[in-house]
Amino acid sequence: MYNGNERITICNHPLLQHKITMLRMKETGTNEFRKLVEEIGMLMGYEALQSLELTNVEIETPICKTVSPIIAGKKPAIVPILRAGLGMVSGLLALMPTAKVGHIGLYRDEVTHEPHEYYCKLPNPIELRKIFVTDPMLATGGSAVDAIKLIKDHGGRDITFMCIIAAPEGLEKLSKAHPDVNIYAGHLDDHLNENAYIVPGLGDAGDRIFGTK
Ligand code: PRP
Ligand code: URA
């Protein structure tokens, strides 16, 4: 719970904090950065997936028949916000290999910092699935707010947003625009700078994952 809001979780596991520090360091190269984002996706996923529901099934062990729980319902959907959100997908798929994967393409205008949509493909029926939206950075919150609106416009209802680093501005904007969405952040940073980059942050997540720029 964060500031009395039960929908917001700032994950504080020591392993996660250690890996986020490695991620922030400007010396961390593309290969290591990618691996860290994947590992963080898995560690955060372990926490976020606590909300998965269970159903009991009858099974037989080598000893006797028994009733034991398995994950209930339709396979969950992982929806990365392109590009940087892609980096967290493999970590989540390691936890739930049968999940479906959708994609939302948004880029932030360098001057206005407003998000622009260029792609959307979601698994059907989206309305019956638990949806995990991934993006390492929640800065102004514009991209997350628009991506989640798009998912809701397609019928998605049960939505969790996962980011590695959040700015207070983005967290506030997202939780106000979508109060029904669960938010998991690996760390809450200090503020945004004049270019709407997170401070201290880690720089441009997409560029660091894909080795561009
Ligand atoms: C980055 C990041 C988020 C967005 C966050 O993506 O991955 O999607 O900015 O900023 P916001 O909260 O102010 O909207 P970017 O638009 O740079 O695209 P990329 O992932 O393709 O690099
Ligand atoms: N997008 C990023 O990749 N980093 C920031 O700090 C803000 C937006």
Side-chain angles (χ1 to χ4, degrees), residues 61-75:
T61 75
I63 308 298
C64 67
K65 286 189 176 172
T66 188
V67 171
S68 199
I70 58 167
I71 306 292
K74 282 254 169 234
K75 295 181 175 65

Side-chain angles (χ1 to χ4, degrees), residues 107-122:
Y107 72 88
R108 223 171 59 140
D109 184 280
E110 283 184 11
V111 179
T112 66
H113 310 130
E114 289 294 318
H116 294 272
E117 180 197 334
Y118 60 87
Y119 189 76
C120 179
K121 183 89 178 166
L122 301 172

Side-chain angles (χ1 to χ4, degrees), residues 83-84 108 135-140 143 165 167 189 191-193 195-208:
R83 290 174 300 166
R108 223 171 59 140
D135 192 331
M137 310 305 276
L138 180 66
T140 65
S143 305
I165 295 182
D189 271 19
H191 64 280
L192 295 176
N193 69 13
N195 296 318
Y197 270 78
I198 300 176
V199 180
L202 50 74
D204 187 304
D207 283 345
R208 294 197 67 185

Side-chain angles (χ1 to χ4, degrees), residues 2 37 39 47 71 79 84 87 120 122 131 134 138 154 179 194 196 203:
Y2 168 73
V37 171
E39 289 165 3
E47 197 148 343
I71 306 292
V79 181
C120 179
L122 301 172
I131 303 160
T134 62
L138 180 66
H154 283 76
E194 61 284 4

